[in-house]
Amino acid sequence: MKLLTHNMLQCTVKGVTKGYPLKIEAVKYEEREADFNPDFLRHIFPKIDFPALREAAEALGVTDLPPQADASMLDDEDFLRKFHHALMEVHLEEGALICPETGRKFPVSKGIPNMLLNEDEI
């Protein structure tokens, strides 16, 4: 699961009001090279919760993202390459996504998060 995907997921358990961002409990993660596309990065940047991305990236060992980011940084190729690496090349393969409010763990297996709820959570 790319961190791009992680940035869009939230806990939808009944009654949860603070289900985002999901914490990452990593058992296995890997890096896979992906084509660098600056135009895509500039387009997706406003839709990304950067503090959540940075926290997720740090959970997977990526520590070179700046503490904060804004649109003025999108002309800096060094920043774009770091943003690209965290967003598109770091993959959570095995582990769990954890609801920040309830602690409910959603397993991630073979890179696929299982966000299905139990009957009593709907």
Side-chain angles (χ1 to χ4, degrees):
M1 176 187 70
K2 294 177 187 175
L3 294 185
L4 171 63
T5 303
H6 170 266
N7 204 265
M8 307 292 169
L9 295 175
Q10 67 180 359
C11 178
T12 58
V13 171
K14 177 176 55 179
V16 169
T17 58
K18 189 183 180 310
Y20 180 87
L22 296 167
K23 305 295 181 203
I24 294 179
E25 183 178 272
V27 173
K28 178 183 173 189
Y29 61 92
E30 56 188 50
E31 296 180 10
R32 296 186 209 140
E33 192 172 324
D35 291 338
F36 179 65
N37 184 339
D39 291 333
F40 169 77
L41 296 170
R42 288 183 188 103
H43 177 75
I44 198 73
F45 181 81
K47 298 171 179 74
I48 297 297
D49 180 329
F50 192 81
L53 172 65
R54 186 171 187 272
E55 183 179 331
E58 286 180 352
L60 300 182
V62 177
T63 59
D64 58 351
L65 288 175
Q68 300 172 342
D70 60 55
S72 69
M73 300 171 82
L74 296 175
D75 291 326
D76 177 355
E77 184 167 341
D78 183 53
F79 168 74
L80 284 177
R81 290 202 176 271
K82 291 174 182 177
F83 181 50
H84 164 78
H85 176 69
L87 197 66
M88 305 299 292
E89 295 183 328
V90 179
H91 295 254
L92 176 62
E93 287 298 310
E94 304 290 333
L97 303 176
I98 304 168
C99 174
E101 184 175 320
T102 66
R104 161 72 148 85
K105 291 185 179 186
F106 297 93
V108 177
S109 179
K110 298 179 185 173
I112 301 170
N114 180 349
M115 302 296 292
L116 294 175
L117 300 176
N118 297 320
E119 195 170 310
D120 63 333
E121 297 174 316
I122 298 174

